[in-house]
Amino acid sequence: MATATYIQKGDNIDYTATKAIVYMEVVPLASRIGVALEEIAKSETGTVTLTGVFELPAAASLAIAVGDAVYWDSTNSVINKTATDNIPAGIAVSAKASAGTTVRVRIG
């Protein structure tokens, strides 16, 4: 039988930066996003959270409804609703009208 060893709750992780990261910057990971909880110098390790609700920049001319699955577009640094070539970000917890520029997202 396989067993596990508890390490931590997992809301926050240690992340080694491949570039300098500023406080509250979106950090694209392989299959989700995190948000930096501190400045992290290139090649240094810092804390990135994987949970919580954050107000994030959103694609222009895009309406988003509460509960929509949303994705991080790393090329344009915005939230959108297109899964293809983007990283899952979480779900929208506020509506965004087409004219809006931000949306609140529960990441994870």
Side-chain angles (χ1 to χ4, degrees):
M1 170 173 50
T3 62
T5 302
Y6 180 83
I7 304 298
Q8 65 182 3
K9 188 173 177 183
D11 292 347
N12 303 326
I13 61 168
D14 292 332
Y15 176 77
T16 302
T18 57
K19 66 175 188 76
I21 296 174
V22 299
Y23 174 67
M24 288 289 135
E25 182 174 340
V26 173
V27 178
L29 304 170
S31 64
R32 66 186 309 160
I33 63 169
V35 175
L37 295 181
E38 60 186 327
E39 288 187 12
I40 309 171
K42 181 179 179 180
S43 302
E44 296 295 321
T45 300
T47 304
V48 169
T49 189
L50 303 177
T51 63
V53 173
F54 294 89
E55 189 168 82
L56 299 170
S61 303
L62 175 68
I64 298 174
V66 173
D68 279 349
V70 293
Y71 302 86
W72 183 251
D73 175 348
S74 293
T75 302
N76 298 302
S77 296
V78 293
I79 290 292
N80 67 34
K81 296 193 302 184
T82 305
T84 304
D85 297 326
N86 293 314
I87 300 167
I91 62 166
V93 296
S94 68
K96 177 198 164 301
S98 296
T101 59
T102 63
V103 63
R104 291 183 182 169
V105 176
R106 181 184 182 278
I107 65 172

